[in-house]
Amino acid sequence: MNDIPIGVLLGALVVLLLLSAFFSTSETSMMALNRYRLKHLAREGHRGARLTSGLLAHTDKLLGVILLGNNLINAAAAALVTVITLREFGNGGLALTLATLAVTFAILVFSEVTPKILGAAYAEAIALKVAYVLAPLLRLAYPVVWFVNLFVRAILWLLRLTPPAGESNQALRPEELRTAVLEAGRYIPAQHQSMFLNLFELQSITVDDVMTPRSQIEALDIEAPVEVLIEQLATSHHTRLPAFRGELNEVIGIIHIRRVMHWIHAGPLDLDTLRETLQEPYFIPGGTPLLLQLQHFQENHRRLGLVVDEYGELMGLVTLEDILEEIVGEFTTHGPQQSGTYQRLEDGSFLVDAGAALRTLNRKLKLHFPLNGPKTLNGLLLEHLQDIPEGGISVKIAGHPIEIVQTHDRVIKMARIFPATEAENDGPRADG
């Protein structure tokens, strides 16, 4: 090489550093590429995406050809620097040491760190382009890569390690998918994002959390006078009502109001015919996950179910609309009992029906009541106080002062909830 001009040698060194940078960028961009975005592009027919998918399907071979090229080039760059140093500065130890440090620094900055940062930052744009080079290069160097991988597989076998085949390790668990939805906020409209997140929660929410409590169920006593039945049917805010005999636990069926309204207008209500139109009641065990119950509603072609405890006692009523509202938010109209759940007062506090579900209060009023215990505000207050309180008592739960306004028949009827920020200044003192 003594006859080769120094300028040519330095030019060759620059080329080697650039080639090393290419392999470093390729490696990082391929590994940092969004696999789900890649699958989408491949299905759309993007040729670069298809080449990249093929390369990533055999990661061992892809890394083999990249690292083979990178190490050969880095070794060639080090050897070339040694030749240049010997020609220009002789066989001095100091010169060789400085040359080694210089080429190491150049490789580290220009061929490793900088290219890899660029590869991670622009993974898709780079990976889809370098695939056109790596695919034929892999075919050309396949015998060498295969030979090297023989030793790699032998080492993995000795270590009892079995890498997952293909892209099976890329599968997302539910909690990871939830995080992906949250991170994709600017790509997914807020309403759609909320629906996705609500879907993830359906498995952990039970019918107990969304049911209408027994005390708020609008039902039809089939043994009541005909005049009372006609008035209740004509003024009901629901299309389906549970029908019971004497006591609410004795539900005998579900009546579809639209099917009997024409009888009311045509003439006297025939109770025998009314009983014949009753649909068999559909009972749901307490604690059933909402996702499972949604499937059961679909399989049984039902829209309403009665929730019972382990002793068969009626706990509440849940409808298909209740489950759908957990996904898409409220979209149905409610009767007077449900619409009067809370009232905002002038001072910013809320006058709340204590029978309201905690999930509803948390969602509508942006509160943070715990959901792993009682399902209603009344139940939460009774559990916290361990007693039947009188009106005027105040407690603080989840940072919100709550004043008990009215109790009746051992049940808290009304409560007043103060915002946490306002409570520190003007709210009542907490004693719990």
Side-chain angles (χ1 to χ4, degrees), residues 111 118 127 159 168 245 250 323 352 403:
S111 301
L118 292 175
L159 296 175
S168 60
R245 183 183 293 112
E250 297 296 326
I323 300 178
V352 177
E403 179 185 357

Side-chain angles (χ1 to χ4, degrees), residues 218-244:
E218 183 183 354
L220 195 71
D221 187 355
I222 206 72
E223 296 182 348
V226 174
E227 296 78 11
V228 175
L229 292 177
I230 292 176
E231 181 180 1
Q232 187 173 357
L233 289 170
T235 59
S236 175
H237 289 79
H238 305 280
T239 57
R240 294 173 177 81
L241 290 180
F244 64 94

Side-chain angles (χ1 to χ4, degrees), residues 47-318:
R47 186 165 181 270
R50 290 181 176 179
L51 281 174
T52 306
S53 296
L55 291 170
L56 288 172
H58 304 282
T59 312
D60 55 340
K61 297 180 177 63
L62 173 63
L63 290 177
V65 71
I66 290 175
L67 295 177
L68 176 65
N70 208 8
N71 283 283
L72 285 176
I73 290 170
N74 288 343
L80 185 57
V81 167
T82 302
V83 171
I84 294 173
T85 303
L86 291 175
R87 270 189 54 178
E88 299 298 320
F89 304 101
N91 195 16
L94 180 59
L96 289 174
T97 300
L98 292 176
T100 301
L101 292 176
V103 74
T104 302
F105 177 81
I107 291 174
L108 187 64
V109 173
F110 299 107
S111 301
E112 293 292 337
V113 177
T114 302
K116 288 186 175 181
I117 291 175
L118 292 175
Y122 305 98
E124 181 179 319
I126 294 174
L128 299 185
K129 291 179 176 61
V130 299
Y132 289 99
V133 177
L134 293 178
L137 190 61
L138 176 58
R139 287 193 292 270
L140 184 64
Y142 186 81
V144 179
V145 173
W146 174 83
F147 182 73
V148 171
N149 281 338
L150 283 180
F151 294 91
V152 174
R153 284 193 288 270
I155 294 173
L156 293 177
W157 180 81
L158 291 173
L159 296 175
R160 299 294 188 267
L161 297 176
T162 305
E167 298 185 5
S168 60
N169 60 328
Q170 295 294 321
L172 291 179
R173 293 187 290 269
E175 60 274 13
E176 295 169 338
L177 187 57
R178 177 187 175 90
T179 302
V181 172
L182 287 171
E183 293 294 326
R186 66 191 183 97
Y187 300 105
I188 304 176
Q191 185 179 7
H192 296 172
Q193 186 184 60
S194 176
M195 291 170 60
F196 282 130
L197 297 177
N198 290 339
L199 278 172
F200 297 140
E201 295 182 2
L202 283 193
Q203 189 61 44
S204 60
I205 303 173
T206 67
V207 292
D208 308 46
D209 296 310
V210 302
M211 70 180 182
T212 300
R214 172 176 171 159
S215 60
Q216 296 181 16
I217 294 178
E218 183 183 354
L220 195 71
D221 187 355
I222 206 72
E223 296 182 348
V226 174
E227 296 78 11
V228 175
L229 292 177
I230 292 176
E231 181 180 1
Q232 187 173 357
L233 289 170
T235 59
S236 175
H237 289 79
H238 305 280
T239 57
R240 294 173 177 81
L241 290 180
F244 64 94
R245 183 183 293 112
E247 200 270 326
L248 194 54
N249 264 324
E250 297 296 326
V251 177
I252 60 174
I254 306 297
I255 185 169
H256 200 301
I257 294 179
R258 292 178 182 174
R259 295 178 182 175
V260 300
M261 285 303 295
H262 69 282
W263 294 340
I264 296 176
H265 296 295
L269 182 64
D270 186 344
L271 293 182
D272 292 333
T273 306
L274 180 63
R275 290 188 180 95
E276 291 176 1
T277 63
L278 293 178
Q279 185 181 25
E280 184 180 354
Y282 174 55
F283 295 101
I284 303 170
T288 303
L290 281 194
L291 191 60
L292 180 61
Q293 187 53 49
L294 181 62
Q295 180 182 349
H296 287 169
F297 272 144
Q298 184 180 25
E299 292 173 350
N300 293 284
H301 305 287
R302 296 294 189 117
R303 299 177 64 92
L304 181 149
L306 300 168
V307 184
V308 295
D309 62 16
E310 58 183 312
Y311 304 106
E313 296 291 321
L314 182 64
M315 298 169 57
L317 177 149
V318 66

Side-chain angles (χ1 to χ4, degrees), residues 213-216 337 340-343 350-357 361 376-379 381-382 388-392 402-417:
R214 172 176 171 159
S215 60
Q216 296 181 16
Q337 288 177 304
T341 299
Y342 67 92
Q343 177 185 357
F350 293 94
L351 191 63
V352 177
D353 178 359
L361 295 178
T376 64
L377 180 60
N378 171 64
L381 289 169
L382 293 180
I388 308 297
E390 297 292 335
I402 306 172
E403 179 185 357
I404 297 171
V405 177
Q406 179 187 4
T407 60
H408 181 69
D409 289 340
R410 303 180 299 279
V411 175
I412 301 172
K413 292 293 186 181
M414 299 296 296
R416 187 180 181 189
I417 303 176

Side-chain angles (χ1 to χ4, degrees), residues 1-10 12-13 16 76-88:
M1 290 190 180
N2 292 330
D3 298 332
I4 301 175
I6 189 64
V8 174
L9 294 178
L10 291 176
L13 179 61
L16 290 175
L80 185 57
V81 167
T82 302
V83 171
I84 294 173
T85 303
L86 291 175
R87 270 189 54 178
E88 299 298 320

